[in-house]
PDB file of all heavy atoms in Angstrom:
ATOM      1  N   PHE A   1     -75.263 -44.269 -11.955  1.00  0.00           N
ATOM      2  CA  PHE A   1     -74.017 -44.580 -12.619  1.00  0.00           C
ATOM      3  C   PHE A   1     -73.182 -45.475 -11.677  1.00  0.00           C
ATOM      4  O   PHE A   1     -73.603 -45.672 -10.574  1.00  0.00           O
ATOM      5  CB  PHE A   1     -73.179 -43.302 -13.007  1.00  0.00           C
ATOM      6  CG  PHE A   1     -73.930 -42.326 -13.877  1.00  0.00           C
ATOM      7  CD1 PHE A   1     -74.407 -41.173 -13.339  1.00  0.00           C
ATOM      8  CD2 PHE A   1     -74.093 -42.623 -15.195  1.00  0.00           C
ATOM      9  CE1 PHE A   1     -75.040 -40.301 -14.170  1.00  0.00           C
ATOM     10  CE2 PHE A   1     -74.742 -41.725 -16.055  1.00  0.00           C
ATOM     11  CZ  PHE A   1     -75.242 -40.539 -15.483  1.00  0.00           C
ATOM     12  N   ALA A   2     -72.067 -46.050 -12.242  1.00  0.00           N
ATOM     13  CA  ALA A   2     -71.218 -46.718 -11.363  1.00  0.00           C
ATOM     14  C   ALA A   2     -70.662 -45.860 -10.251  1.00  0.00           C
ATOM     15  O   ALA A   2     -70.548 -44.622 -10.441  1.00  0.00           O
ATOM     16  CB  ALA A   2     -70.026 -47.244 -12.210  1.00  0.00           C
ATOM     17  N   HIS A   3     -70.346 -46.410  -9.153  1.00  0.00           N
ATOM     18  CA  HIS A   3     -69.855 -45.746  -8.005  1.00  0.00           C
ATOM     19  C   HIS A   3     -68.722 -44.688  -8.320  1.00  0.00           C
ATOM     20  O   HIS A   3     -68.767 -43.533  -7.881  1.00  0.00           O
ATOM     21  CB  HIS A   3     -69.342 -46.631  -6.884  1.00  0.00           C
ATOM     22  CG  HIS A   3     -68.951 -46.052  -5.621  1.00  0.00           C
ATOM     23  ND1 HIS A   3     -69.829 -45.321  -4.837  1.00  0.00           N
ATOM     24  CD2 HIS A   3     -67.779 -45.918  -5.065  1.00  0.00           C
ATOM     25  CE1 HIS A   3     -69.090 -44.846  -3.771  1.00  0.00           C
ATOM     26  NE2 HIS A   3     -67.879 -45.180  -3.934  1.00  0.00           N
ATOM     27  N   ASP A   4     -67.753 -45.125  -9.114  1.00  0.00           N
ATOM     28  CA  ASP A   4     -66.589 -44.270  -9.373  1.00  0.00           C
ATOM     29  C   ASP A   4     -66.953 -43.102 -10.297  1.00  0.00           C
ATOM     30  O   ASP A   4     -66.400 -42.053 -10.122  1.00  0.00           O
ATOM     31  CB  ASP A   4     -65.405 -45.079  -9.949  1.00  0.00           C
ATOM     32  CG  ASP A   4     -65.704 -45.889 -11.169  1.00  0.00           C
ATOM     33  OD1 ASP A   4     -66.877 -46.335 -11.400  1.00  0.00           O
ATOM     34  OD2 ASP A   4     -64.833 -45.993 -12.103  1.00  0.00           O
ATOM     35  N   THR A   5     -68.033 -43.374 -11.149  1.00  0.00           N
ATOM     36  CA  THR A   5     -68.441 -42.268 -11.996  1.00  0.00           C
ATOM     37  C   THR A   5     -69.129 -41.183 -11.161  1.00  0.00           C
ATOM     38  O   THR A   5     -68.896 -40.044 -11.392  1.00  0.00           O
ATOM     39  CB  THR A   5     -69.400 -42.829 -13.054  1.00  0.00           C
ATOM     40  OG1 THR A   5     -68.691 -43.740 -13.916  1.00  0.00           O
ATOM     41  CG2 THR A   5     -70.090 -41.701 -13.905  1.00  0.00           C
ATOM     42  N   GLU A   6     -70.022 -41.658 -10.241  1.00  0.00           N
ATOM     43  CA  GLU A   6     -70.687 -40.645  -9.376  1.00  0.00           C
ATOM     44  C   GLU A   6     -69.691 -39.882  -8.511  1.00  0.00           C
ATOM     45  O   GLU A   6     -69.821 -38.708  -8.365  1.00  0.00           O
ATOM     46  CB  GLU A   6     -71.663 -41.342  -8.505  1.00  0.00           C
ATOM     47  CG  GLU A   6     -72.876 -41.841  -9.390  1.00  0.00           C
ATOM     48  CD  GLU A   6     -73.995 -42.469  -8.549  1.00  0.00           C
ATOM     49  OE1 GLU A   6     -73.994 -42.450  -7.250  1.00  0.00           O
ATOM     50  OE2 GLU A   6     -74.956 -42.968  -9.132  1.00  0.00           O
ATOM     51  N   LEU A   7     -68.723 -40.573  -8.015  1.00  0.00           N
ATOM     52  CA  LEU A   7     -67.634 -39.854  -7.228  1.00  0.00           C
ATOM     53  C   LEU A   7     -66.860 -38.850  -8.130  1.00  0.00           C
ATOM     54  O   LEU A   7     -66.613 -37.743  -7.628  1.00  0.00           O
ATOM     55  CB  LEU A   7     -66.696 -40.835  -6.599  1.00  0.00           C
ATOM     56  CG  LEU A   7     -67.208 -41.784  -5.498  1.00  0.00           C
ATOM     57  CD1 LEU A   7     -66.196 -42.776  -5.033  1.00  0.00           C
ATOM     58  CD2 LEU A   7     -67.691 -40.911  -4.343  1.00  0.00           C
ATOM     59  N   ALA A   8     -66.525 -39.235  -9.249  1.00  0.00           N
ATOM     60  CA  ALA A   8     -65.799 -38.410 -10.147  1.00  0.00           C
ATOM     61  C   ALA A   8     -66.611 -37.173 -10.548  1.00  0.00           C
ATOM     62  O   ALA A   8     -66.090 -35.998 -10.672  1.00  0.00           O
ATOM     63  CB  ALA A   8     -65.274 -39.148 -11.421  1.00  0.00           C
ATOM     64  N   LEU A   9     -67.842 -37.380 -10.889  1.00  0.00           N
ATOM     65  CA  LEU A   9     -68.779 -36.265 -11.234  1.00  0.00           C
ATOM     66  C   LEU A   9     -68.869 -35.295 -10.043  1.00  0.00           C
ATOM     67  O   LEU A   9     -68.889 -34.085 -10.215  1.00  0.00           O
ATOM     68  CB  LEU A   9     -70.164 -36.754 -11.646  1.00  0.00           C
ATOM     69  CG  LEU A   9     -70.200 -37.477 -13.013  1.00  0.00           C
ATOM     70  CD1 LEU A   9     -71.517 -38.097 -13.137  1.00  0.00           C
ATOM     71  CD2 LEU A   9     -69.927 -36.477 -14.163  1.00  0.00           C
ATOM     72  N   ALA A  10     -69.091 -35.851  -8.882  1.00  0.00           N
ATOM     73  CA  ALA A  10     -69.263 -35.003  -7.650  1.00  0.00           C
ATOM     74  C   ALA A  10     -67.982 -34.214  -7.403  1.00  0.00           C
ATOM     75  O   ALA A  10     -68.008 -33.064  -7.059  1.00  0.00           O
ATOM     76  CB  ALA A  10     -69.609 -35.773  -6.475  1.00  0.00           C
ATOM     77  N   ALA A  11     -66.823 -34.917  -7.529  1.00  0.00           N
ATOM     78  CA  ALA A  11     -65.506 -34.183  -7.343  1.00  0.00           C
ATOM     79  C   ALA A  11     -65.232 -33.175  -8.356  1.00  0.00           C
ATOM     80  O   ALA A  11     -64.822 -31.996  -8.014  1.00  0.00           O
ATOM     81  CB  ALA A  11     -64.328 -35.191  -7.396  1.00  0.00           C
ATOM     82  N   ALA A  12     -65.652 -33.396  -9.548  1.00  0.00           N
ATOM     83  CA  ALA A  12     -65.503 -32.365 -10.680  1.00  0.00           C
ATOM     84  C   ALA A  12     -66.407 -31.185 -10.373  1.00  0.00           C
ATOM     85  O   ALA A  12     -65.933 -29.987 -10.491  1.00  0.00           O
ATOM     86  CB  ALA A  12     -65.798 -32.979 -12.026  1.00  0.00           C
ATOM     87  N   ALA A  13     -67.635 -31.418  -9.998  1.00  0.00           N
ATOM     88  CA  ALA A  13     -68.571 -30.312  -9.629  1.00  0.00           C
ATOM     89  C   ALA A  13     -68.053 -29.532  -8.413  1.00  0.00           C
ATOM     90  O   ALA A  13     -68.036 -28.287  -8.432  1.00  0.00           O
ATOM     91  CB  ALA A  13     -69.964 -30.931  -9.354  1.00  0.00           C
ATOM     92  N   ALA A  14     -67.558 -30.263  -7.433  1.00  0.00           N
ATOM     93  CA  ALA A  14     -67.008 -29.536  -6.248  1.00  0.00           C
ATOM     94  C   ALA A  14     -65.861 -28.660  -6.602  1.00  0.00           C
ATOM     95  O   ALA A  14     -65.682 -27.577  -6.121  1.00  0.00           O
ATOM     96  CB  ALA A  14     -66.673 -30.596  -5.158  1.00  0.00           C
ATOM     97  N   LEU A  15     -64.918 -29.203  -7.490  1.00  0.00           N
ATOM     98  CA  LEU A  15     -63.789 -28.395  -7.899  1.00  0.00           C
ATOM     99  C   LEU A  15     -64.262 -27.182  -8.694  1.00  0.00           C
ATOM    100  O   LEU A  15     -63.816 -26.082  -8.432  1.00  0.00           O
ATOM    101  CB  LEU A  15     -62.882 -29.236  -8.794  1.00  0.00           C
ATOM    102  CG  LEU A  15     -61.590 -28.478  -9.336  1.00  0.00           C
ATOM    103  CD1 LEU A  15     -60.744 -27.938  -8.185  1.00  0.00           C
ATOM    104  CD2 LEU A  15     -60.804 -29.472 -10.192  1.00  0.00           C
ATOM    105  N   VAL A  16     -65.129 -27.356  -9.629  1.00  0.00           N
ATOM    106  CA  VAL A  16     -65.645 -26.210 -10.384  1.00  0.00           C
ATOM    107  C   VAL A  16     -66.258 -25.171  -9.522  1.00  0.00           C
ATOM    108  O   VAL A  16     -66.057 -23.958  -9.621  1.00  0.00           O
ATOM    109  CB  VAL A  16     -66.683 -26.646 -11.487  1.00  0.00           C
ATOM    110  CG1 VAL A  16     -67.452 -25.427 -12.053  1.00  0.00           C
ATOM    111  CG2 VAL A  16     -66.042 -27.472 -12.563  1.00  0.00           C
ATOM    112  N   ASN A  17     -66.953 -25.576  -8.450  1.00  0.00           N
ATOM    113  CA  ASN A  17     -67.703 -24.762  -7.563  1.00  0.00           C
ATOM    114  C   ASN A  17     -66.793 -24.042  -6.561  1.00  0.00           C
ATOM    115  O   ASN A  17     -67.247 -23.133  -5.840  1.00  0.00           O
ATOM    116  CB  ASN A  17     -68.816 -25.420  -6.958  1.00  0.00           C
ATOM    117  CG  ASN A  17     -69.925 -25.785  -7.911  1.00  0.00           C
ATOM    118  OD1 ASN A  17     -70.076 -25.206  -9.000  1.00  0.00           O
ATOM    119  ND2 ASN A  17     -70.801 -26.772  -7.634  1.00  0.00           N
ATOM    120  N   THR A  18     -65.518 -24.366  -6.544  1.00  0.00           N
ATOM    121  CA  THR A  18     -64.502 -23.606  -5.750  1.00  0.00           C
ATOM    122  C   THR A  18     -64.162 -22.300  -6.366  1.00  0.00           C
ATOM    123  O   THR A  18     -63.653 -21.414  -5.728  1.00  0.00           O
ATOM    124  CB  THR A  18     -63.255 -24.390  -5.413  1.00  0.00           C
ATOM    125  OG1 THR A  18     -62.551 -24.586  -6.666  1.00  0.00           O
ATOM    126  CG2 THR A  18     -63.536 -25.732  -4.732  1.00  0.00           C
ATOM    127  N   ASP A  19     -64.534 -22.154  -7.634  1.00  0.00           N
ATOM    128  CA  ASP A  19     -64.123 -20.955  -8.426  1.00  0.00           C
ATOM    129  C   ASP A  19     -65.048 -19.807  -8.012  1.00  0.00           C
ATOM    130  O   ASP A  19     -66.295 -19.933  -7.981  1.00  0.00           O
ATOM    131  CB  ASP A  19     -64.305 -21.265  -9.882  1.00  0.00           C
ATOM    132  CG  ASP A  19     -63.711 -20.268 -10.786  1.00  0.00           C
ATOM    133  OD1 ASP A  19     -63.434 -19.099 -10.322  1.00  0.00           O
ATOM    134  OD2 ASP A  19     -63.401 -20.562 -11.905  1.00  0.00           O
ATOM    135  N   PRO A  20     -64.446 -18.668  -7.824  1.00  0.00           N
ATOM    136  CA  PRO A  20     -65.278 -17.465  -7.354  1.00  0.00           C
ATOM    137  C   PRO A  20     -66.350 -17.067  -8.475  1.00  0.00           C
ATOM    138  O   PRO A  20     -67.336 -16.431  -8.169  1.00  0.00           O
ATOM    139  CB  PRO A  20     -64.248 -16.376  -7.147  1.00  0.00           C
ATOM    140  CG  PRO A  20     -62.989 -16.768  -7.800  1.00  0.00           C
ATOM    141  CD  PRO A  20     -63.041 -18.342  -7.853  1.00  0.00           C
ATOM    142  N   GLY A  21     -66.070 -17.385  -9.689  1.00  0.00           N
ATOM    143  CA  GLY A  21     -67.033 -17.111 -10.760  1.00  0.00           C
ATOM    144  C   GLY A  21     -68.250 -18.000 -10.677  1.00  0.00           C
ATOM    145  O   GLY A  21     -69.120 -17.848 -11.476  1.00  0.00           O
ATOM    146  N   ALA A  22     -68.222 -18.907  -9.751  1.00  0.00           N
ATOM    147  CA  ALA A  22     -69.272 -19.962  -9.716  1.00  0.00           C
ATOM    148  C   ALA A  22     -70.449 -19.475  -8.878  1.00  0.00           C
ATOM    149  O   ALA A  22     -71.167 -20.343  -8.416  1.00  0.00           O
ATOM    150  CB  ALA A  22     -68.720 -21.248  -9.178  1.00  0.00           C
ATOM    151  N   GLY A  23     -70.591 -18.282  -8.452  1.00  0.00           N
ATOM    152  CA  GLY A  23     -71.740 -17.817  -7.695  1.00  0.00           C
ATOM    153  C   GLY A  23     -71.550 -17.532  -6.257  1.00  0.00           C
ATOM    154  O   GLY A  23     -72.193 -16.630  -5.739  1.00  0.00           O
ATOM    155  N   SER A  24     -70.476 -18.065  -5.669  1.00  0.00           N
ATOM    156  CA  SER A  24     -70.306 -17.821  -4.309  1.00  0.00           C
ATOM    157  C   SER A  24     -69.574 -16.520  -4.082  1.00  0.00           C
ATOM    158  O   SER A  24     -69.648 -15.849  -2.983  1.00  0.00           O
ATOM    159  CB  SER A  24     -69.458 -18.905  -3.637  1.00  0.00           C
ATOM    160  OG  SER A  24     -68.128 -18.906  -4.060  1.00  0.00           O
ATOM    161  N   GLY A  25     -68.824 -16.056  -5.062  1.00  0.00           N
ATOM    162  CA  GLY A  25     -68.053 -14.804  -4.904  1.00  0.00           C
ATOM    163  C   GLY A  25     -66.801 -15.032  -4.098  1.00  0.00           C
ATOM    164  O   GLY A  25     -66.078 -14.016  -3.834  1.00  0.00           O
ATOM    165  N   GLU A  26     -66.565 -16.140  -3.669  1.00  0.00           N
ATOM    166  CA  GLU A  26     -65.327 -16.445  -2.827  1.00  0.00           C
ATOM    167  C   GLU A  26     -64.598 -17.660  -3.335  1.00  0.00           C
ATOM    168  O   GLU A  26     -65.174 -18.680  -3.516  1.00  0.00           O
ATOM    169  CB  GLU A  26     -65.755 -16.687  -1.356  1.00  0.00           C
ATOM    170  CG  GLU A  26     -64.599 -16.912  -0.452  1.00  0.00           C
ATOM    171  CD  GLU A  26     -65.029 -17.187   1.000  1.00  0.00           C
ATOM    172  OE1 GLU A  26     -66.142 -16.821   1.346  1.00  0.00           O
ATOM    173  OE2 GLU A  26     -64.285 -17.823   1.727  1.00  0.00           O
ATOM    174  N   ASP A  27     -63.318 -17.493  -3.601  1.00  0.00           N
ATOM    175  CA  ASP A  27     -62.447 -18.579  -4.022  1.00  0.00           C
ATOM    176  C   ASP A  27     -62.069 -19.447  -2.852  1.00  0.00           C
ATOM    177  O   ASP A  27     -61.505 -18.906  -1.913  1.00  0.00           O
ATOM    178  CB  ASP A  27     -61.182 -18.031  -4.721  1.00  0.00           C
ATOM    179  CG  ASP A  27     -60.325 -19.139  -5.343  1.00  0.00           C
ATOM    180  OD1 ASP A  27     -60.551 -20.302  -4.990  1.00  0.00           O
ATOM    181  OD2 ASP A  27     -59.471 -18.745  -6.228  1.00  0.00           O
ATOM    182  N   THR A  28     -62.584 -20.658  -2.817  1.00  0.00           N
ATOM    183  CA  THR A  28     -62.280 -21.555  -1.657  1.00  0.00           C
ATOM    184  C   THR A  28     -61.167 -22.481  -1.941  1.00  0.00           C
ATOM    185  O   THR A  28     -60.945 -23.449  -1.172  1.00  0.00           O
ATOM    186  CB  THR A  28     -63.598 -22.368  -1.355  1.00  0.00           C
ATOM    187  OG1 THR A  28     -63.996 -23.133  -2.434  1.00  0.00           O
ATOM    188  CG2 THR A  28     -64.702 -21.437  -0.916  1.00  0.00           C
ATOM    189  N   LEU A  29     -60.346 -22.188  -2.970  1.00  0.00           N
ATOM    190  CA  LEU A  29     -59.160 -23.046  -3.256  1.00  0.00           C
ATOM    191  C   LEU A  29     -57.990 -22.059  -3.560  1.00  0.00           C
ATOM    192  O   LEU A  29     -57.488 -21.951  -4.603  1.00  0.00           O
ATOM    193  CB  LEU A  29     -59.420 -23.943  -4.395  1.00  0.00           C
ATOM    194  CG  LEU A  29     -58.484 -25.026  -4.758  1.00  0.00           C
ATOM    195  CD1 LEU A  29     -58.473 -25.996  -3.550  1.00  0.00           C
ATOM    196  CD2 LEU A  29     -58.900 -25.802  -5.976  1.00  0.00           C
ATOM    197  N   ARG A  30     -57.514 -21.395  -2.496  1.00  0.00           N
ATOM    198  CA  ARG A  30     -56.578 -20.320  -2.660  1.00  0.00           C
ATOM    199  C   ARG A  30     -55.212 -20.823  -2.192  1.00  0.00           C
ATOM    200  O   ARG A  30     -54.204 -20.286  -2.769  1.00  0.00           O
ATOM    201  CB  ARG A  30     -56.941 -19.065  -1.812  1.00  0.00           C
ATOM    202  CG  ARG A  30     -58.195 -18.375  -2.297  1.00  0.00           C
ATOM    203  CD  ARG A  30     -58.459 -17.085  -1.437  1.00  0.00           C
ATOM    204  NE  ARG A  30     -58.306 -17.302  -0.099  1.00  0.00           N
ATOM    205  CZ  ARG A  30     -59.254 -17.509   0.774  1.00  0.00           C
ATOM    206  NH1 ARG A  30     -60.475 -17.491   0.359  1.00  0.00           N
ATOM    207  NH2 ARG A  30     -59.039 -17.699   2.077  1.00  0.00           N
ATOM    208  N   THR A  31     -55.159 -21.629  -1.162  1.00  0.00           N
ATOM    209  CA  THR A  31     -53.813 -22.041  -0.601  1.00  0.00           C
ATOM    210  C   THR A  31     -53.619 -23.509  -0.810  1.00  0.00           C
ATOM    211  O   THR A  31     -54.528 -24.302  -1.032  1.00  0.00           O
ATOM    212  CB  THR A  31     -53.769 -21.686   0.877  1.00  0.00           C
ATOM    213  OG1 THR A  31     -54.800 -22.531   1.583  1.00  0.00           O
ATOM    214  CG2 THR A  31     -54.158 -20.191   1.132  1.00  0.00           C
ATOM    215  N   ARG A  32     -52.411 -23.914  -0.562  1.00  0.00           N
ATOM    216  CA  ARG A  32     -52.053 -25.328  -0.552  1.00  0.00           C
ATOM    217  C   ARG A  32     -52.786 -26.079   0.508  1.00  0.00           C
ATOM    218  O   ARG A  32     -53.153 -27.263   0.289  1.00  0.00           O
ATOM    219  CB  ARG A  32     -50.512 -25.568  -0.369  1.00  0.00           C
ATOM    220  CG  ARG A  32     -49.787 -25.005  -1.671  1.00  0.00           C
ATOM    221  CD  ARG A  32     -48.298 -25.201  -1.514  1.00  0.00           C
ATOM    222  NE  ARG A  32     -47.843 -24.418  -0.365  1.00  0.00           N
ATOM    223  CZ  ARG A  32     -46.588 -23.915  -0.254  1.00  0.00           C
ATOM    224  NH1 ARG A  32     -45.740 -24.145  -1.189  1.00  0.00           N
ATOM    225  NH2 ARG A  32     -46.219 -23.157   0.751  1.00  0.00           N
ATOM    226  N   GLU A  33     -53.041 -25.478   1.644  1.00  0.00           N
ATOM    227  CA  GLU A  33     -53.848 -26.058   2.698  1.00  0.00           C
ATOM    228  C   GLU A  33     -55.280 -26.284   2.175  1.00  0.00           C
ATOM    229  O   GLU A  33     -55.944 -27.296   2.511  1.00  0.00           O
ATOM    230  CB  GLU A  33     -53.892 -25.251   3.952  1.00  0.00           C
ATOM    231  CG  GLU A  33     -52.457 -25.164   4.622  1.00  0.00           C
ATOM    232  CD  GLU A  33     -51.505 -24.191   3.919  1.00  0.00           C
ATOM    233  OE1 GLU A  33     -51.908 -23.296   3.243  1.00  0.00           O
ATOM    234  OE2 GLU A  33     -50.316 -24.416   4.233  1.00  0.00           O
ATOM    235  N   ASP A  34     -55.859 -25.315   1.470  1.00  0.00           N
ATOM    236  CA  ASP A  34     -57.184 -25.431   0.908  1.00  0.00           C
ATOM    237  C   ASP A  34     -57.224 -26.678  -0.008  1.00  0.00           C
ATOM    238  O   ASP A  34     -58.212 -27.435  -0.045  1.00  0.00           O
ATOM    239  CB  ASP A  34     -57.581 -24.255   0.111  1.00  0.00           C
ATOM    240  CG  ASP A  34     -57.849 -23.053   0.939  1.00  0.00           C
ATOM    241  OD1 ASP A  34     -58.028 -23.123   2.178  1.00  0.00           O
ATOM    242  OD2 ASP A  34     -57.813 -21.883   0.380  1.00  0.00           O
ATOM    243  N   LEU A  35     -56.156 -26.842  -0.783  1.00  0.00           N
ATOM    244  CA  LEU A  35     -56.095 -27.933  -1.778  1.00  0.00           C
ATOM    245  C   LEU A  35     -56.016 -29.273  -1.005  1.00  0.00           C
ATOM    246  O   LEU A  35     -56.809 -30.173  -1.359  1.00  0.00           O
ATOM    247  CB  LEU A  35     -54.899 -27.860  -2.678  1.00  0.00           C
ATOM    248  CG  LEU A  35     -54.668 -29.030  -3.674  1.00  0.00           C
ATOM    249  CD1 LEU A  35     -55.893 -29.092  -4.588  1.00  0.00           C
ATOM    250  CD2 LEU A  35     -53.395 -28.820  -4.428  1.00  0.00           C
TER     251      LEU A  35
END
């Protein structure tokens, strides 16, 4: 895909995967510093 599409897909996946329901069992986006 275009470069910006690939970056946006990767960022969306990374954001989804910060969710503890995503298999890791740990929320990696808890604090403003994490954000």
Side-chain angles (χ1 to χ4, degrees):
F1 301 106
H3 180 69
D4 56 329
T5 296
E6 291 185 5
L7 289 176
L9 289 170
L15 178 60
V16 168
N17 292 338
T18 65
D19 193 339
S24 69
E26 181 181 339
D27 189 338
T28 58
L29 194 60
R30 295 183 316 260
T31 67
R32 292 181 295 207
E33 292 78 20
D34 292 341
L35 178 60

